[in-house]
Amino acid sequence: MNYLDSLYWIHERTKFGIKPGVKRMEWMLSRLNHPERNIKAIHVGGTNGKGSTVAYLRTALVNNGYEVGTFTSPYIETFNERISLNGEPISNDAIVALVARVKTVSEAMEQETDLGVATEFEIITTMMYLYFGEIHPVDFVIVEAGLGVKNDSTNVIQPILSVLTSIGLDHTDILGHSYLDIAKDKGAIIKPHTPVIYAVKNEEALKYLRQLAIDLNAPAMEYDRDILVVSEADEFTYRYKDYEMENIALKMLGEHQKENAALAITALIDLFERQIIDIDFNKMIQGIENVQWKGRIEKVNDSPLIIIDGAHNKESVDALVDTIGRYYGLDKVDILFSAIKGKPISSMLTAFNTIANHFYVTGFEFPKALPKQTLYDEVEFKDKTLIDDYVDFIKNYQGEALLITGSLYFISEVKAKMGY
């Protein structure tokens, strides 16, 4: 198969939906001689902030001369982004070679077992472990969990460090309807005797994670207890143990990004103290300060001002609203919104009410995208319009400020169609 054939075969797996559990992963990796056991993995889970935290970790390590693989989802501009080497997507030829190997194993599993068909995410995850565990070994692989952790395809590794960025009410139809339910799922990122860093606000969830870390003898580093951030306008001071770093100024906007950066810094300090890495702290901070992450409060046009952001749950919308006011000084913006199934649409829309000037609702081409009429009916804001052709709408937008948001999948399509 060529590259397009390979992508078609991968994407065709979406029809098999989501299948929680790691038995299919374990079978395929076993047939491939367990490439995942050959990597030094940092496992990153959570509801929001995973991608940014991965980017901070990767850039700091690369800045210190390490070769780093990353696994992230979803992609924003090109599919190959999901498996990247030092921040650059792997080649089309590498994708073709990986599919050739994994397709054979996947088909053997269908024929020889009763485990069923591998999903798209299982296929891509297997490709990643094969690439970094056998084809192109690297110093470290930073693995971003997909949906939850306990039954996520990535959760077949014994990491050298775990990071849990946050816990929010997302994917409640699968992970549970309370913070404690979600903590029990995402808490599976904590492995016996393996250091874990977490930033969890909900007291019930926090209590559960603290006890789990104790039970598993996992050294725990907790945000707002062990790790402190003192915010000073556009900069912040970081404190942990005897470490203090002042005047850290991120290119990534938002108070939540200071928290994500602090988790990454703590992870790097822990690896340094355990003599797993040898880093220049100035290069570490320089790398973290320069990180930019596509699709996160990304300005794509100046006049009129157009910002895109992949906020896809209540917590990320709250952070977005705060950042728009704090960094752009805007009281009101027009909002172009679309989303996928399984999201807390009502609470997301309500969170936008404080900054919404006018709601524009649309749909996009994705299997799990919510119909635009369904979304439109959910909007209780009085000034709202249903948009059939969002490309034409954006091209002819005459307002002062437009925020395009609701789903990372949506803004990925917007960037592709608009050439942003």
Side-chain angles (χ1 to χ4, degrees):
M1 294 191 294
N2 61 26
Y3 176 69
L4 291 179
D5 290 335
S6 298
L7 282 193
Y8 177 80
W9 181 79
I10 293 170
H11 293 321
E12 194 183 25
R13 310 292 96 190
T14 59
K15 68 186 179 186
F16 300 112
I18 297 170
K19 298 178 180 178
V22 296
K23 288 184 178 179
R24 285 173 299 281
M25 285 296 303
E26 290 172 341
W27 194 94
M28 290 189 289
L29 290 169
S30 175
R31 183 61 67 96
L32 291 165
N33 297 317
H34 287 292
E36 81 283 5
R37 295 179 183 175
N38 300 330
I39 68 174
K40 287 183 179 177
I42 301 169
H43 202 187
V44 180
T47 303
N48 298 305
K50 292 180 292 187
S52 302
T53 304
V54 168
Y56 291 133
L57 286 166
R58 180 204 72 222
T59 308
L61 286 168
V62 170
N63 234 29
N64 275 278
Y66 290 101
E67 192 170 40
V68 182
T70 52
F71 180 63
T72 57
S73 61
Y75 66 90
I76 301 299
E77 292 179 349
T78 172
F79 173 84
N80 302 29
E81 288 172 29
R82 301 187 69 166
I83 305 172
S84 290
L85 178 63
N86 292 342
E88 295 297 322
I90 63 172
S91 69
N92 292 354
D93 287 344
I95 294 289
V96 171
L98 288 166
V99 166
R101 294 274 302 275
V102 175
K103 184 174 184 288
T104 301
V105 172
S106 171
E107 290 172 347
M109 181 173 69
E110 291 176 47
Q111 296 165 3
E112 299 174 23
T113 77
D114 58 359
L115 294 172
V117 182
T119 67
E120 180 188 34
F121 193 72
E122 289 170 338
I123 292 294
I124 300 167
T125 309
T126 303
M127 288 167 58
M128 177 271 297
Y129 284 134
L130 179 61
Y131 187 75
F132 293 124
E134 180 189 312
I135 295 172
H136 192 116
V138 292
D139 295 311
F140 301 99
V141 182
I142 310 169
V143 179
E144 179 189 328
L147 202 164
V149 174
K150 183 178 180 181
N151 293 302
D152 187 68
S153 302
T154 63
N155 198 32
V156 291
I157 46 171
Q158 177 56 50
I160 58 172
L161 177 70
S162 300
V163 181
L164 186 57
T165 58
S166 71
I167 286 181
L169 297 178
D170 197 3
H171 297 295
T172 53
D173 52 332
I174 296 172
L175 303 181
H177 293 275
S178 72
Y179 284 97
L180 180 59
D181 288 337
I182 294 173
K184 288 179 178 178
D185 184 288
K186 294 183 186 288
I189 204 164
I190 303 176
K191 300 297 191 294
H193 311 289
T194 303
V196 60
I197 302 161
Y198 53 85
V200 174
K201 307 297 190 298
N202 179 267
E203 281 300 322
E204 196 175 21
L206 196 53
K207 183 178 178 182
Y208 171 80
L209 293 170
R210 285 172 177 162
Q211 189 58 51
L212 181 62
I214 291 169
D215 293 344
L216 294 176
N217 292 311
M221 290 150 274
E222 183 180 307
Y223 186 81
D224 271 346
R225 182 191 68 182
D226 309 300
I227 308 159
L228 299 177
V229 164
V230 181
S231 187
E232 303 146 358
D234 295 344
E235 300 178 343
F236 72 96
T237 296
Y238 166 90
R239 295 188 183 122
Y240 168 68
K241 291 184 176 178
D242 294 329
Y243 299 91
E244 179 169 289
M245 302 172 201
E246 299 179 319
N247 307 121
I248 301 173
L250 304 175
K251 286 188 177 179
M252 296 275 281
L253 300 180
E255 293 299 297
H256 58 297
Q257 291 298 349
K258 297 173 183 178
E259 177 180 308
N260 297 332
L263 296 181
I265 293 169
T266 309
L268 294 160
I269 289 173
D270 175 75
L271 295 174
F272 173 75
E273 289 187 336
R274 288 193 281 147
Q275 299 183 331
I276 295 173
I277 60 173
D278 183 19
I279 56 171
D280 179 319
F281 278 51
N282 289 326
K283 289 181 179 179
M284 173 184 75
I285 296 300
Q286 181 186 55
I288 286 172
E289 286 184 323
N290 288 327
V291 166
Q292 292 178 294
W293 198 233
K294 296 168 186 173
R296 273 70 169 184
I297 314 179
E298 181 182 355
K299 183 171 70 172
V300 294
N301 200 69
D302 285 307
S303 184
L305 177 63
I306 299 178
I307 298 167
I308 61 173
D309 188 87
H312 55 277
N313 53 49
K314 171 65 164 55
E315 290 81 7
S316 57
V317 170
D318 286 340
L320 174 58
V321 169
D322 176 74
T323 304
I324 291 294
R326 188 186 299 263
Y327 290 88
Y328 284 96
L330 296 170
D331 294 326
K332 298 290 180 182
V333 294
D334 293 326
I335 295 172
L336 178 63
F337 185 87
S338 196
I340 65 172
K341 298 171 185 174
K343 296 294 180 176
I345 301 301
S346 178
S347 62
M348 290 170 66
L349 292 170
T350 300
F352 277 123
N353 282 347
T354 57
I355 64 164
N357 180 55
H358 195 108
F359 258 110
Y360 296 94
V361 179
T362 192
F364 66 108
E365 298 167 13
F366 186 69
K368 294 190 291 183
L370 277 167
K372 55 182 177 286
Q373 187 64 53
T374 301
L375 282 174
Y376 182 80
D377 293 341
E378 281 273 359
V379 177
E380 296 180 354
F381 199 76
K382 63 183 178 66
D383 295 320
K384 62 179 183 177
T385 303
L386 191 61
I387 300 297
D388 289 322
D389 184 345
Y390 73 77
V391 172
D392 183 69
F393 169 77
I394 296 170
K395 285 180 178 177
N396 295 293
Y397 176 71
Q398 298 295 317
E400 292 184 6
L402 178 65
L403 173 61
I404 304 171
T405 189
S407 166
L408 282 164
Y409 296 99
F410 175 46
I411 63 166
S412 174
E413 185 178 292
V414 169
K415 283 176 73 75
K417 291 192 172 183
M418 296 301 299
Y420 290 147

